């Protein structure tokens, strides 16, 4: 394992993993503002139309004063409903801003720490570890456990419980072979999904068509296709043609691609497509942050010798070394096997290095001391890693150039 040569903290390198911490609240704030604007625009059109109609009817004498007052009361009631909706959006905005402030303070604390050896860095790292654990639990569907951990550690404002809980509910509904919840989600985020050219809503409509055809409801299937599928002929020409061909093939067909279209595995495809679309929409990484952090950390510590057949005492019974390399430990050795190792520009060697006939390099004093401890006769040395025996006269001094 490479020797740590500096304890200076570089905050910028830490923030590479924490980008979603600020991106998601920004996306939620944008979504909240757009929803509020849509409600205002919708009610504005209705109110202006109703006001114009009431004024014209009053001037033309079509309505008496009592009817005109009733129209005004209806408009006032609508405006009160709009006000309540705006208050809800305002509370949501305040919650988002509170989360953003807490997260900025959390990241600002990192910039106040100058050394990795500082006790404050340990505290900050512990908070981040708890965040990563909550993120992992949420992505795995353990919402209650994630909420309990976040509450216990006091990091509710640093994690995104509601976003992942809602995502998991929609995902589960798709696995139960229901499209209603996901279609409702698509309707709520239609303007945002259009910008990303997502095919999620089309695939859901196609699945509804498939289920109608599976049940033998040909007329309803044709009506559904005309309403929701044929309009996508330019963007999804292949899928539209296949949908048309599906009308001529019963559910028990062996002909491809219709056999695959009838397959229940399409529900897994829709579930995965929803998760992918959801995460892209809210700037969330596709993998748990815990996986990203582990991969980066294991790769940084891994060296070419970590997975050699003479790796360490913990993974090789014949070895007499007592390595402190975490990658060579029993717990992490197999986990890091398929990861790349980084290229270390600096290396360290023991004092007074010598090389054995098998090419392995050790410090002379440490090698002789360990050979004496295992009871070898004078003039013999033992490789502590491979357990090979050599004559002391066979060792050669190494000169570092």
């Amino acid at each position: 394992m490479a020797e740590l040569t500096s304890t200076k903290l570089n905050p910028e390198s830490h923030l590479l993993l924490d980008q979603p911490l600020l991106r998601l609240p920004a996306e939620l704030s944008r979504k909240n503002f757009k929803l509020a604007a849509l409600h205002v625009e919708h009610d504005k059109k209705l109110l202006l139309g109703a006001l114009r109609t009431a004024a014209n009817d009053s001037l033309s004498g079509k309505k008496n004063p009592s009817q005109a007052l009733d129209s005004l009361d209806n408009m006032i009631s609508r405006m009160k409903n709009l006000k309540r909706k705006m208050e809800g959006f305002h509370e949501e905005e305040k919650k988002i801003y509170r989360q953003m402030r807490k997260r900025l303070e959390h990241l600002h604390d990192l910039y106040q720490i100058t050394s990795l050896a500082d006790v404050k860095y340990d505290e900050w790292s512990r908070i981040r570890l708890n965040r990563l654990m909550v993120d992992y639990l949420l992505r795995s569907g353990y919402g209650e456990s994630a909420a309990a951990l976040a509450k216990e550690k006091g990091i509710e404002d640093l994690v995104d419980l509601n976003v992942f809980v809602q995502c998991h509910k929609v995902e589960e509904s798709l696995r139960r072979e229901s499209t209603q919840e996901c279609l409702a989600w698509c309707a709520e985020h239609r303007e945002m999904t259009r910008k990303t050219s997502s095919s999620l809503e089309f695939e859901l409509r196609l699945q509804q068509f498939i289920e109608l055809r599976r049940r033998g409801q040909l007329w309803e299937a044709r009506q559904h296709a005309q309403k929701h599928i044929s309009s996508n002929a330019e963007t999804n020409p292949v899928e539209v043609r296949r949908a048309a061909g599906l009308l001529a093939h019963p559910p028990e067909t062996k002909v491809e691609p219709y056999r695959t279209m009838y397959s229940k595995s399409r529900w897994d495809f829709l579930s995965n497509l929803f998760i992918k679309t959801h995460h892209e929409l809210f700037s969330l990484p596709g993998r748990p942050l815990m996986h990203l952090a582990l991969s980066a950390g294991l790769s940084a510590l891994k060296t070419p010798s970590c997975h050699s057949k003479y790796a360490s005492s913990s993974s090789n019974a014949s070895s007499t070394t007592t390595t402190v390399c975490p990658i060579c430990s029993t717990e992490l050795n197999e986990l890091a096997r398929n990861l790349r190792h980084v290229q270390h520009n600096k290396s360290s060697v023991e004092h007074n290095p010598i090389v054995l006939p098998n090419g392995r390099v050790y410090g002379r004093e440490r090698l002789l001391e360990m050979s004496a401890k295992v009871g070898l006769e004078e003039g013999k040395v033992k490789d502590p890693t491979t357990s090979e025996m050599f004559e002391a006269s066979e060792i050669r001094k190494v000169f570092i150039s």
Side-chain angles (χ1 to χ4, degrees), residues 76-116:
I76 291 172
S77 177
R78 179 173 288 278
M79 293 176 68
K80 286 182 177 179
N81 287 334
L82 178 61
K83 181 183 177 183
R84 281 194 291 271
K85 291 177 183 177
M86 292 301 104
E87 288 174 349
F89 286 122
H90 180 59
E91 289 300 317
E92 181 65 21
E93 195 73 10
K94 286 167 63 178
K95 178 183 175 183
I96 293 172
Y97 285 149
R98 185 186 71 245
Q99 289 181 340
M100 293 183 73
R101 183 173 63 254
K102 290 285 186 181
R103 296 177 185 206
L104 286 170
E105 290 173 355
H106 173 63
L107 296 179
H108 179 71
D109 291 342
L110 181 64
Y111 281 85
Q112 306 307 306
I113 304 171
T114 58
S115 171
L116 294 169

Side-chain angles (χ1 to χ4, degrees), residues 156-200:
E156 291 97 332
D157 288 331
L158 300 181
V159 293
D160 307 294
L161 295 171
N162 292 335
V163 172
F164 280 104
V165 169
Q166 292 173 6
C167 175
H168 184 63
K169 286 181 180 178
V170 177
E171 178 197 356
E172 284 299 306
S173 71
L174 288 172
R175 298 194 185 278
R176 295 194 306 269
E177 302 184 6
S178 171
T179 58
Q180 297 305 315
E181 292 86 347
C182 195
L183 283 172
W185 184 88
C186 289
E188 184 181 350
H189 301 84
R190 182 168 291 122
E191 192 170 333
M192 300 169 71
T193 53
R194 280 176 181 169
K195 292 182 179 179
T196 60
S197 302
S198 172
S199 62
L200 176 60

Side-chain angles (χ1 to χ4, degrees), residues 255-273:
V255 180
E256 292 292 353
Y258 308 109
R259 179 173 175 271
T260 302
M261 293 176 72
Y262 280 120
S263 173
K264 293 293 185 180
S265 63
R266 260 191 64 83
W267 290 105
D268 292 329
F269 162 74
L270 289 173
S271 178
N272 293 331
L273 179 60

Side-chain angles (χ1 to χ4, degrees), residues 309-340:
K309 62 180 179 179
Y310 305 117
S312 68
S313 58
S314 58
S315 57
N316 177 17
S318 65
S319 172
T320 57
T321 60
T322 55
T323 179
V324 294
C325 173
I327 307 302
C328 295
S329 67
T330 307
E331 295 80 8
L332 298 180
N333 189 262
E334 193 61 32
L335 192 62
R337 182 172 298 278
N338 295 323
L339 292 175
R340 290 175 172 266

Side-chain angles (χ1 to χ4, degrees), residues 103-290:
R103 296 177 185 206
L104 286 170
E105 290 173 355
H106 173 63
L107 296 179
H108 179 71
D109 291 342
L110 181 64
Y111 281 85
Q112 306 307 306
I113 304 171
T114 58
S115 171
L116 294 169
D118 196 324
V119 176
K120 292 182 179 179
Y121 178 71
D122 291 338
E123 297 173 356
W124 191 91
S125 297
R126 178 61 59 179
I127 293 174
R128 183 164 77 163
L129 177 59
N130 290 330
R131 282 180 35 233
L132 297 184
M133 292 175 65
V134 170
D135 175 82
Y136 182 79
L137 290 171
L138 287 170
R139 289 171 183 264
S140 302
Y142 301 107
E144 293 183 3
S145 298
L149 177 60
K151 184 177 180 180
E152 179 185 343
K153 302 300 181 180
I155 56 173
E156 291 97 332
D157 288 331
L158 300 181
V159 293
D160 307 294
L161 295 171
N162 292 335
V163 172
F164 280 104
V165 169
Q166 292 173 6
C167 175
H168 184 63
K169 286 181 180 178
V170 177
E171 178 197 356
E172 284 299 306
S173 71
L174 288 172
R175 298 194 185 278
R176 295 194 306 269
E177 302 184 6
S178 171
T179 58
Q180 297 305 315
E181 292 86 347
C182 195
L183 283 172
W185 184 88
C186 289
E188 184 181 350
H189 301 84
R190 182 168 291 122
E191 192 170 333
M192 300 169 71
T193 53
R194 280 176 181 169
K195 292 182 179 179
T196 60
S197 302
S198 172
S199 62
L200 176 60
E201 186 170 0
F202 170 77
E203 293 290 349
L204 291 169
R205 295 298 185 185
L206 179 59
Q207 187 63 37
Q208 287 183 322
F209 171 80
I210 294 171
E211 295 305 315
L212 288 171
R213 178 63 185 89
R214 192 196 306 275
R215 294 193 294 268
Q217 298 173 273
L218 295 178
W219 174 254
E220 291 82 354
R222 288 178 60 189
Q223 293 292 106
H224 179 85
Q226 290 174 0
K227 183 177 180 181
H228 298 293
I229 295 179
S230 58
S231 58
N232 293 274
E234 292 186 5
T235 54
N236 304 88
V238 176
E239 289 79 3
V240 171
R241 288 197 297 270
R242 288 177 177 176
L246 194 70
L247 291 171
H249 293 80
E252 60 272 11
T253 183
K254 301 298 182 183
V255 180
E256 292 292 353
Y258 308 109
R259 179 173 175 271
T260 302
M261 293 176 72
Y262 280 120
S263 173
K264 293 293 185 180
S265 63
R266 260 191 64 83
W267 290 105
D268 292 329
F269 162 74
L270 289 173
S271 178
N272 293 331
L273 179 60
F274 164 71
I275 294 174
K276 179 176 179 291
T277 303
H278 176 274
H279 289 359
E280 287 178 351
L281 211 62
F282 292 106
S283 301
L284 293 169
R287 297 169 58 196
L289 295 175
M290 179 75 78

